[in-house]
PDB file of all heavy atoms in Angstrom:
ATOM      1  N   TYR A   1     -15.194  -9.484  75.995  1.00  0.00           N
ATOM      2  CA  TYR A   1     -16.429  -8.843  76.450  1.00  0.00           C
ATOM      3  C   TYR A   1     -16.214  -8.210  77.829  1.00  0.00           C
ATOM      4  O   TYR A   1     -16.528  -7.042  78.050  1.00  0.00           O
ATOM      5  CB  TYR A   1     -17.539  -9.889  76.490  1.00  0.00           C
ATOM      6  CG  TYR A   1     -18.852  -9.403  77.044  1.00  0.00           C
ATOM      7  CD1 TYR A   1     -19.768  -8.773  76.228  1.00  0.00           C
ATOM      8  CD2 TYR A   1     -19.173  -9.589  78.389  1.00  0.00           C
ATOM      9  CE1 TYR A   1     -20.990  -8.325  76.726  1.00  0.00           C
ATOM     10  CE2 TYR A   1     -20.380  -9.150  78.889  1.00  0.00           C
ATOM     11  CZ  TYR A   1     -21.280  -8.523  78.059  1.00  0.00           C
ATOM     12  OH  TYR A   1     -22.476  -8.082  78.562  1.00  0.00           O
ATOM     13  N   GLU A   2     -15.667  -8.989  78.742  1.00  0.00           N
ATOM     14  CA  GLU A   2     -15.424  -8.496  80.094  1.00  0.00           C
ATOM     15  C   GLU A   2     -14.373  -7.392  80.103  1.00  0.00           C
ATOM     16  O   GLU A   2     -14.502  -6.416  80.844  1.00  0.00           O
ATOM     17  CB  GLU A   2     -15.015  -9.638  81.014  1.00  0.00           C
ATOM     18  CG  GLU A   2     -16.166 -10.586  81.313  1.00  0.00           C
ATOM     19  CD  GLU A   2     -15.759 -11.763  82.186  1.00  0.00           C
ATOM     20  OE1 GLU A   2     -14.618 -11.769  82.698  1.00  0.00           O
ATOM     21  OE2 GLU A   2     -16.591 -12.663  82.343  1.00  0.00           O
ATOM     22  N   ALA A   3     -13.345  -7.523  79.263  1.00  0.00           N
ATOM     23  CA  ALA A   3     -12.290  -6.514  79.198  1.00  0.00           C
ATOM     24  C   ALA A   3     -12.834  -5.186  78.687  1.00  0.00           C
ATOM     25  O   ALA A   3     -12.518  -4.117  79.237  1.00  0.00           O
ATOM     26  CB  ALA A   3     -11.146  -6.999  78.307  1.00  0.00           C
ATOM     27  N   VAL A   4     -13.671  -5.216  77.658  1.00  0.00           N
ATOM     28  CA  VAL A   4     -14.246  -3.987  77.105  1.00  0.00           C
ATOM     29  C   VAL A   4     -15.191  -3.354  78.124  1.00  0.00           C
ATOM     30  O   VAL A   4     -15.136  -2.141  78.354  1.00  0.00           O
ATOM     31  CB  VAL A   4     -14.969  -4.259  75.766  1.00  0.00           C
ATOM     32  CG1 VAL A   4     -15.778  -3.055  75.320  1.00  0.00           C
ATOM     33  CG2 VAL A   4     -13.953  -4.640  74.695  1.00  0.00           C
ATOM     34  N   ALA A   5     -16.038  -4.145  78.753  1.00  0.00           N
ATOM     35  CA  ALA A   5     -16.978  -3.622  79.750  1.00  0.00           C
ATOM     36  C   ALA A   5     -16.228  -2.992  80.924  1.00  0.00           C
ATOM     37  O   ALA A   5     -16.573  -1.892  81.379  1.00  0.00           O
ATOM     38  CB  ALA A   5     -17.904  -4.730  80.239  1.00  0.00           C
ATOM     39  N   THR A   6     -15.203  -3.654  81.389  1.00  0.00           N
ATOM     40  CA  THR A   6     -14.416  -3.152  82.511  1.00  0.00           C
ATOM     41  C   THR A   6     -13.662  -1.893  82.135  1.00  0.00           C
ATOM     42  O   THR A   6     -13.626  -0.914  82.893  1.00  0.00           O
ATOM     43  CB  THR A   6     -13.438  -4.241  83.005  1.00  0.00           C
ATOM     44  OG1 THR A   6     -14.199  -5.388  83.405  1.00  0.00           O
ATOM     45  CG2 THR A   6     -12.596  -3.747  84.166  1.00  0.00           C
ATOM     46  N   LYS A   7     -13.080  -1.876  80.943  1.00  0.00           N
ATOM     47  CA  LYS A   7     -12.315  -0.703  80.499  1.00  0.00           C
ATOM     48  C   LYS A   7     -13.240   0.490  80.280  1.00  0.00           C
ATOM     49  O   LYS A   7     -12.873   1.630  80.597  1.00  0.00           O
ATOM     50  CB  LYS A   7     -11.537  -1.034  79.221  1.00  0.00           C
ATOM     51  CG  LYS A   7     -10.548   0.019  78.803  1.00  0.00           C
ATOM     52  CD  LYS A   7      -9.518   0.342  79.880  1.00  0.00           C
ATOM     53  CE  LYS A   7      -8.526  -0.754  80.109  1.00  0.00           C
ATOM     54  NZ  LYS A   7      -7.461  -0.351  81.068  1.00  0.00           N
ATOM     55  N   LEU A   8     -14.441   0.273  79.756  1.00  0.00           N
ATOM     56  CA  LEU A   8     -15.403   1.356  79.600  1.00  0.00           C
ATOM     57  C   LEU A   8     -15.694   1.992  80.953  1.00  0.00           C
ATOM     58  O   LEU A   8     -15.632   3.208  81.108  1.00  0.00           O
ATOM     59  CB  LEU A   8     -16.702   0.844  78.961  1.00  0.00           C
ATOM     60  CG  LEU A   8     -17.877   1.836  78.937  1.00  0.00           C
ATOM     61  CD1 LEU A   8     -17.532   3.090  78.131  1.00  0.00           C
ATOM     62  CD2 LEU A   8     -19.119   1.154  78.398  1.00  0.00           C
ATOM     63  N   ARG A   9     -15.983   1.171  81.942  1.00  0.00           N
ATOM     64  CA  ARG A   9     -16.295   1.695  83.276  1.00  0.00           C
ATOM     65  C   ARG A   9     -15.077   2.406  83.876  1.00  0.00           C
ATOM     66  O   ARG A   9     -15.191   3.486  84.448  1.00  0.00           O
ATOM     67  CB  ARG A   9     -16.758   0.577  84.202  1.00  0.00           C
ATOM     68  CG  ARG A   9     -17.148   1.104  85.579  1.00  0.00           C
ATOM     69  CD  ARG A   9     -17.923   0.104  86.399  1.00  0.00           C
ATOM     70  NE  ARG A   9     -19.165  -0.309  85.802  1.00  0.00           N
ATOM     71  CZ  ARG A   9     -20.307   0.386  85.846  1.00  0.00           C
ATOM     72  NH1 ARG A   9     -20.332   1.551  86.424  1.00  0.00           N
ATOM     73  NH2 ARG A   9     -21.392  -0.089  85.301  1.00  0.00           N
ATOM     74  N   GLU A  10     -13.913   1.817  83.717  1.00  0.00           N
ATOM     75  CA  GLU A  10     -12.683   2.399  84.261  1.00  0.00           C
ATOM     76  C   GLU A  10     -12.390   3.776  83.640  1.00  0.00           C
ATOM     77  O   GLU A  10     -12.113   4.743  84.354  1.00  0.00           O
ATOM     78  CB  GLU A  10     -11.530   1.439  83.979  1.00  0.00           C
ATOM     79  CG  GLU A  10     -10.189   1.824  84.514  1.00  0.00           C
ATOM     80  CD  GLU A  10      -9.164   0.774  84.119  1.00  0.00           C
ATOM     81  OE1 GLU A  10      -9.286  -0.378  84.567  1.00  0.00           O
ATOM     82  OE2 GLU A  10      -8.246   1.117  83.348  1.00  0.00           O
ATOM     83  N   LEU A  11     -12.471   3.847  82.316  1.00  0.00           N
ATOM     84  CA  LEU A  11     -12.215   5.121  81.636  1.00  0.00           C
ATOM     85  C   LEU A  11     -13.282   6.156  81.970  1.00  0.00           C
ATOM     86  O   LEU A  11     -12.975   7.339  82.163  1.00  0.00           O
ATOM     87  CB  LEU A  11     -12.122   4.912  80.121  1.00  0.00           C
ATOM     88  CG  LEU A  11     -10.896   4.155  79.628  1.00  0.00           C
ATOM     89  CD1 LEU A  11     -11.042   3.806  78.146  1.00  0.00           C
ATOM     90  CD2 LEU A  11      -9.631   4.963  79.867  1.00  0.00           C
ATOM     91  N   TYR A  12     -14.530   5.716  82.057  1.00  0.00           N
ATOM     92  CA  TYR A  12     -15.602   6.641  82.393  1.00  0.00           C
ATOM     93  C   TYR A  12     -15.419   7.173  83.813  1.00  0.00           C
ATOM     94  O   TYR A  12     -15.582   8.369  84.064  1.00  0.00           O
ATOM     95  CB  TYR A  12     -16.971   5.974  82.249  1.00  0.00           C
ATOM     96  CG  TYR A  12     -18.098   6.913  82.583  1.00  0.00           C
ATOM     97  CD1 TYR A  12     -18.514   7.872  81.658  1.00  0.00           C
ATOM     98  CD2 TYR A  12     -18.710   6.878  83.824  1.00  0.00           C
ATOM     99  CE1 TYR A  12     -19.530   8.762  81.963  1.00  0.00           C
ATOM    100  CE2 TYR A  12     -19.731   7.765  84.140  1.00  0.00           C
ATOM    101  CZ  TYR A  12     -20.126   8.704  83.206  1.00  0.00           C
ATOM    102  OH  TYR A  12     -21.125   9.590  83.516  1.00  0.00           O
ATOM    103  N   ASP A  13     -15.082   6.300  84.744  1.00  0.00           N
ATOM    104  CA  ASP A  13     -14.863   6.730  86.130  1.00  0.00           C
ATOM    105  C   ASP A  13     -13.711   7.722  86.228  1.00  0.00           C
ATOM    106  O   ASP A  13     -13.760   8.664  87.009  1.00  0.00           O
ATOM    107  CB  ASP A  13     -14.596   5.528  87.036  1.00  0.00           C
ATOM    108  CG  ASP A  13     -15.835   4.675  87.275  1.00  0.00           C
ATOM    109  OD1 ASP A  13     -16.963   5.148  86.983  1.00  0.00           O
ATOM    110  OD2 ASP A  13     -15.676   3.534  87.743  1.00  0.00           O
ATOM    111  N   THR A  14     -12.686   7.525  85.416  1.00  0.00           N
ATOM    112  CA  THR A  14     -11.521   8.409  85.434  1.00  0.00           C
ATOM    113  C   THR A  14     -11.826   9.758  84.801  1.00  0.00           C
ATOM    114  O   THR A  14     -11.490  10.802  85.354  1.00  0.00           O
ATOM    115  CB  THR A  14     -10.340   7.754  84.686  1.00  0.00           C
ATOM    116  OG1 THR A  14     -10.022   6.518  85.333  1.00  0.00           O
ATOM    117  CG2 THR A  14      -9.124   8.653  84.675  1.00  0.00           C
ATOM    118  N   HIS A  15     -12.464   9.759  83.642  1.00  0.00           N
ATOM    119  CA  HIS A  15     -12.641  10.988  82.854  1.00  0.00           C
ATOM    120  C   HIS A  15     -14.005  11.653  83.011  1.00  0.00           C
ATOM    121  O   HIS A  15     -14.179  12.809  82.620  1.00  0.00           O
ATOM    122  CB  HIS A  15     -12.379  10.705  81.376  1.00  0.00           C
ATOM    123  CG  HIS A  15     -11.004  10.174  81.123  1.00  0.00           C
ATOM    124  ND1 HIS A  15      -9.876  10.931  81.289  1.00  0.00           N
ATOM    125  CD2 HIS A  15     -10.581   8.950  80.730  1.00  0.00           C
ATOM    126  CE1 HIS A  15      -8.808  10.208  80.996  1.00  0.00           C
ATOM    127  NE2 HIS A  15      -9.213   8.995  80.660  1.00  0.00           N
ATOM    128  N   GLN A  16     -14.998  10.916  83.512  1.00  0.00           N
ATOM    129  CA  GLN A  16     -16.360  11.442  83.697  1.00  0.00           C
ATOM    130  C   GLN A  16     -16.942  12.041  82.418  1.00  0.00           C
ATOM    131  O   GLN A  16     -17.515  13.135  82.419  1.00  0.00           O
ATOM    132  CB  GLN A  16     -16.383  12.473  84.836  1.00  0.00           C
ATOM    133  CG  GLN A  16     -16.124  11.864  86.192  1.00  0.00           C
ATOM    134  CD  GLN A  16     -17.175  10.843  86.590  1.00  0.00           C
ATOM    135  OE1 GLN A  16     -18.356  11.152  86.629  1.00  0.00           O
ATOM    136  NE2 GLN A  16     -16.752   9.621  86.877  1.00  0.00           N
ATOM    137  N   ARG A  17     -16.779  11.320  81.314  1.00  0.00           N
ATOM    138  CA  ARG A  17     -17.331  11.731  80.022  1.00  0.00           C
ATOM    139  C   ARG A  17     -17.562  10.468  79.196  1.00  0.00           C
ATOM    140  O   ARG A  17     -16.974   9.425  79.485  1.00  0.00           O
ATOM    141  CB  ARG A  17     -16.387  12.676  79.295  1.00  0.00           C
ATOM    142  CG  ARG A  17     -15.025  12.071  78.980  1.00  0.00           C
ATOM    143  CD  ARG A  17     -14.186  12.944  78.077  1.00  0.00           C
ATOM    144  NE  ARG A  17     -12.839  12.443  77.944  1.00  0.00           N
ATOM    145  CZ  ARG A  17     -12.469  11.381  77.236  1.00  0.00           C
ATOM    146  NH1 ARG A  17     -13.359  10.655  76.590  1.00  0.00           N
ATOM    147  NH2 ARG A  17     -11.203  11.016  77.163  1.00  0.00           N
ATOM    148  N   PRO A  18     -18.394  10.534  78.162  1.00  0.00           N
ATOM    149  CA  PRO A  18     -18.569   9.371  77.289  1.00  0.00           C
ATOM    150  C   PRO A  18     -17.247   8.967  76.635  1.00  0.00           C
ATOM    151  O   PRO A  18     -16.401   9.818  76.335  1.00  0.00           O
ATOM    152  CB  PRO A  18     -19.571   9.856  76.243  1.00  0.00           C
ATOM    153  CG  PRO A  18     -20.311  10.956  76.929  1.00  0.00           C
ATOM    154  CD  PRO A  18     -19.281  11.637  77.800  1.00  0.00           C
ATOM    155  N   ILE A  19     -17.092   7.672  76.398  1.00  0.00           N
ATOM    156  CA  ILE A  19     -15.843   7.114  75.879  1.00  0.00           C
ATOM    157  C   ILE A  19     -16.102   6.483  74.513  1.00  0.00           C
ATOM    158  O   ILE A  19     -17.061   5.732  74.336  1.00  0.00           O
ATOM    159  CB  ILE A  19     -15.286   6.038  76.842  1.00  0.00           C
ATOM    160  CG1 ILE A  19     -15.188   6.576  78.284  1.00  0.00           C
ATOM    161  CG2 ILE A  19     -13.949   5.507  76.353  1.00  0.00           C
ATOM    162  CD1 ILE A  19     -14.256   7.735  78.485  1.00  0.00           C
ATOM    163  N   GLY A  20     -15.230   6.751  73.560  1.00  0.00           N
ATOM    164  CA  GLY A  20     -15.366   6.199  72.216  1.00  0.00           C
ATOM    165  C   GLY A  20     -14.738   4.822  72.093  1.00  0.00           C
ATOM    166  O   GLY A  20     -13.855   4.453  72.860  1.00  0.00           O
ATOM    167  N   PRO A  21     -15.195   4.053  71.105  1.00  0.00           N
ATOM    168  CA  PRO A  21     -14.662   2.702  70.911  1.00  0.00           C
ATOM    169  C   PRO A  21     -13.166   2.687  70.599  1.00  0.00           C
ATOM    170  O   PRO A  21     -12.447   1.788  71.028  1.00  0.00           O
ATOM    171  CB  PRO A  21     -15.476   2.131  69.756  1.00  0.00           C
ATOM    172  CG  PRO A  21     -16.250   3.252  69.187  1.00  0.00           C
ATOM    173  CD  PRO A  21     -16.263   4.361  70.175  1.00  0.00           C
ATOM    174  N   THR A  22     -12.678   3.700  69.885  1.00  0.00           N
ATOM    175  CA  THR A  22     -11.250   3.753  69.578  1.00  0.00           C
ATOM    176  C   THR A  22     -10.441   3.929  70.858  1.00  0.00           C
ATOM    177  O   THR A  22      -9.419   3.255  71.063  1.00  0.00           O
ATOM    178  CB  THR A  22     -10.933   4.887  68.588  1.00  0.00           C
ATOM    179  OG1 THR A  22     -11.681   4.664  67.393  1.00  0.00           O
ATOM    180  CG2 THR A  22      -9.449   4.928  68.246  1.00  0.00           C
ATOM    181  N   GLU A  23     -10.891   4.803  71.718  1.00  0.00           N
ATOM    182  CA  GLU A  23     -10.184   5.047  72.979  1.00  0.00           C
ATOM    183  C   GLU A  23     -10.132   3.782  73.840  1.00  0.00           C
ATOM    184  O   GLU A  23      -9.103   3.467  74.448  1.00  0.00           O
ATOM    185  CB  GLU A  23     -10.884   6.175  73.739  1.00  0.00           C
ATOM    186  CG  GLU A  23     -10.166   6.622  74.978  1.00  0.00           C
ATOM    187  CD  GLU A  23     -10.816   7.822  75.648  1.00  0.00           C
ATOM    188  OE1 GLU A  23     -11.810   8.368  75.115  1.00  0.00           O
ATOM    189  OE2 GLU A  23     -10.319   8.217  76.717  1.00  0.00           O
ATOM    190  N   ILE A  24     -11.227   3.048  73.869  1.00  0.00           N
ATOM    191  CA  ILE A  24     -11.258   1.796  74.631  1.00  0.00           C
ATOM    192  C   ILE A  24     -10.294   0.788  74.014  1.00  0.00           C
ATOM    193  O   ILE A  24      -9.508   0.151  74.713  1.00  0.00           O
ATOM    194  CB  ILE A  24     -12.684   1.222  74.690  1.00  0.00           C
ATOM    195  CG1 ILE A  24     -13.590   2.173  75.470  1.00  0.00           C
ATOM    196  CG2 ILE A  24     -12.691  -0.169  75.320  1.00  0.00           C
ATOM    197  CD1 ILE A  24     -15.064   1.882  75.342  1.00  0.00           C
ATOM    198  N   GLY A  25     -10.352   0.646  72.697  1.00  0.00           N
ATOM    199  CA  GLY A  25      -9.467  -0.296  72.014  1.00  0.00           C
ATOM    200  C   GLY A  25      -8.002   0.033  72.218  1.00  0.00           C
ATOM    201  O   GLY A  25      -7.181  -0.864  72.456  1.00  0.00           O
ATOM    202  N   LEU A  26      -7.659   1.304  72.142  1.00  0.00           N
ATOM    203  CA  LEU A  26      -6.261   1.708  72.376  1.00  0.00           C
ATOM    204  C   LEU A  26      -5.839   1.392  73.805  1.00  0.00           C
ATOM    205  O   LEU A  26      -4.722   0.919  74.039  1.00  0.00           O
ATOM    206  CB  LEU A  26      -6.081   3.197  72.076  1.00  0.00           C
ATOM    207  CG  LEU A  26      -6.192   3.600  70.603  1.00  0.00           C
ATOM    208  CD1 LEU A  26      -6.188   5.116  70.463  1.00  0.00           C
ATOM    209  CD2 LEU A  26      -5.063   2.984  69.790  1.00  0.00           C
ATOM    210  N   ALA A  27      -6.736   1.632  74.755  1.00  0.00           N
ATOM    211  CA  ALA A  27      -6.430   1.343  76.158  1.00  0.00           C
ATOM    212  C   ALA A  27      -6.252  -0.153  76.395  1.00  0.00           C
ATOM    213  O   ALA A  27      -5.533  -0.559  77.313  1.00  0.00           O
ATOM    214  CB  ALA A  27      -7.534   1.893  77.052  1.00  0.00           C
ATOM    215  N   LEU A  28      -6.879  -0.974  75.550  1.00  0.00           N
ATOM    216  CA  LEU A  28      -6.725  -2.427  75.670  1.00  0.00           C
ATOM    217  C   LEU A  28      -5.510  -2.960  74.910  1.00  0.00           C
ATOM    218  O   LEU A  28      -5.244  -4.147  74.933  1.00  0.00           O
ATOM    219  CB  LEU A  28      -7.991  -3.130  75.174  1.00  0.00           C
ATOM    220  CG  LEU A  28      -9.220  -2.966  76.070  1.00  0.00           C
ATOM    221  CD1 LEU A  28     -10.454  -3.531  75.387  1.00  0.00           C
ATOM    222  CD2 LEU A  28      -8.993  -3.643  77.416  1.00  0.00           C
ATOM    223  N   GLY A  29      -4.809  -2.066  74.210  1.00  0.00           N
ATOM    224  CA  GLY A  29      -3.579  -2.473  73.545  1.00  0.00           C
ATOM    225  C   GLY A  29      -3.692  -2.738  72.057  1.00  0.00           C
ATOM    226  O   GLY A  29      -2.722  -3.176  71.441  1.00  0.00           O
ATOM    227  N   PHE A  30      -4.851  -2.493  71.454  1.00  0.00           N
ATOM    228  CA  PHE A  30      -4.982  -2.672  70.008  1.00  0.00           C
ATOM    229  C   PHE A  30      -4.359  -1.486  69.295  1.00  0.00           C
ATOM    230  O   PHE A  30      -4.328  -0.373  69.835  1.00  0.00           O
ATOM    231  CB  PHE A  30      -6.453  -2.802  69.597  1.00  0.00           C
ATOM    232  CG  PHE A  30      -7.110  -4.030  70.131  1.00  0.00           C
ATOM    233  CD1 PHE A  30      -8.083  -3.947  71.115  1.00  0.00           C
ATOM    234  CD2 PHE A  30      -6.753  -5.287  69.664  1.00  0.00           C
ATOM    235  CE1 PHE A  30      -8.689  -5.076  71.620  1.00  0.00           C
ATOM    236  CE2 PHE A  30      -7.358  -6.433  70.162  1.00  0.00           C
ATOM    237  CZ  PHE A  30      -8.324  -6.329  71.146  1.00  0.00           C
ATOM    238  N   ASP A  31      -3.859  -1.704  68.095  1.00  0.00           N
ATOM    239  CA  ASP A  31      -3.315  -0.578  67.345  1.00  0.00           C
ATOM    240  C   ASP A  31      -4.470   0.270  66.815  1.00  0.00           C
ATOM    241  O   ASP A  31      -5.620  -0.150  66.794  1.00  0.00           O
ATOM    242  CB  ASP A  31      -2.366  -1.022  66.230  1.00  0.00           C
ATOM    243  CG  ASP A  31      -3.017  -1.881  65.157  1.00  0.00           C
ATOM    244  OD1 ASP A  31      -4.195  -1.644  64.830  1.00  0.00           O
ATOM    245  OD2 ASP A  31      -2.338  -2.766  64.625  1.00  0.00           O
ATOM    246  N   TYR A  32      -4.144   1.483  66.413  1.00  0.00           N
ATOM    247  CA  TYR A  32      -5.162   2.461  66.033  1.00  0.00           C
ATOM    248  C   TYR A  32      -6.085   1.940  64.930  1.00  0.00           C
ATOM    249  O   TYR A  32      -7.292   2.175  64.965  1.00  0.00           O
ATOM    250  CB  TYR A  32      -4.496   3.771  65.593  1.00  0.00           C
ATOM    251  CG  TYR A  32      -5.492   4.855  65.281  1.00  0.00           C
ATOM    252  CD1 TYR A  32      -6.082   5.591  66.295  1.00  0.00           C
ATOM    253  CD2 TYR A  32      -5.865   5.124  63.962  1.00  0.00           C
ATOM    254  CE1 TYR A  32      -7.025   6.574  66.023  1.00  0.00           C
ATOM    255  CE2 TYR A  32      -6.799   6.113  63.681  1.00  0.00           C
ATOM    256  CZ  TYR A  32      -7.373   6.824  64.711  1.00  0.00           C
ATOM    257  OH  TYR A  32      -8.305   7.789  64.438  1.00  0.00           O
ATOM    258  N   GLN A  33      -5.521   1.221  63.946  1.00  0.00           N
ATOM    259  CA  GLN A  33      -6.323   0.746  62.812  1.00  0.00           C
ATOM    260  C   GLN A  33      -7.357  -0.307  63.220  1.00  0.00           C
ATOM    261  O   GLN A  33      -8.347  -0.498  62.537  1.00  0.00           O
ATOM    262  CB  GLN A  33      -5.417   0.163  61.717  1.00  0.00           C
ATOM    263  CG  GLN A  33      -4.599   1.186  60.970  1.00  0.00           C
ATOM    264  CD  GLN A  33      -3.392   1.700  61.760  1.00  0.00           C
ATOM    265  OE1 GLN A  33      -2.937   1.058  62.698  1.00  0.00           O
ATOM    266  NE2 GLN A  33      -2.886   2.855  61.374  1.00  0.00           N
ATOM    267  N   GLN A  34      -7.129  -1.008  64.322  1.00  0.00           N
ATOM    268  CA  GLN A  34      -8.049  -2.063  64.751  1.00  0.00           C
ATOM    269  C   GLN A  34      -8.858  -1.705  65.985  1.00  0.00           C
ATOM    270  O   GLN A  34      -9.826  -2.396  66.309  1.00  0.00           O
ATOM    271  CB  GLN A  34      -7.277  -3.342  65.052  1.00  0.00           C
ATOM    272  CG  GLN A  34      -6.633  -3.986  63.867  1.00  0.00           C
ATOM    273  CD  GLN A  34      -5.971  -5.288  64.265  1.00  0.00           C
ATOM    274  OE1 GLN A  34      -5.791  -5.580  65.439  1.00  0.00           O
ATOM    275  NE2 GLN A  34      -5.592  -6.073  63.277  1.00  0.00           N
ATOM    276  N   ALA A  35      -8.488  -0.652  66.677  1.00  0.00           N
ATOM    277  CA  ALA A  35      -9.079  -0.357  67.983  1.00  0.00           C
ATOM    278  C   ALA A  35     -10.601  -0.276  67.938  1.00  0.00           C
ATOM    279  O   ALA A  35     -11.286  -0.932  68.731  1.00  0.00           O
ATOM    280  CB  ALA A  35      -8.481   0.926  68.545  1.00  0.00           C
TER     281      ALA A  35
END
């Protein structure tokens, strides 16, 4: 929960656009099929 919340904020701060669940999952190290 904390990792997803933190990664959402981190990616949003970097890219300044809405972030998809797949992008967050990939950034957390999950493979594409599970992200």
Side-chain angles (χ1 to χ4, degrees):
Y1 175 86
E2 290 178 8
V4 170
T6 301
K7 189 57 71 174
L8 171 61
R9 182 166 300 279
E10 183 181 296
L11 290 170
Y12 180 78
D13 289 345
T14 300
H15 301 292
Q16 292 298 303
R17 61 171 172 74
I19 308 297
T22 301
E23 186 175 357
I24 295 167
L26 291 172
L28 290 172
F30 295 110
D31 62 36
Y32 184 80
Q33 289 76 20
Q34 293 184 347

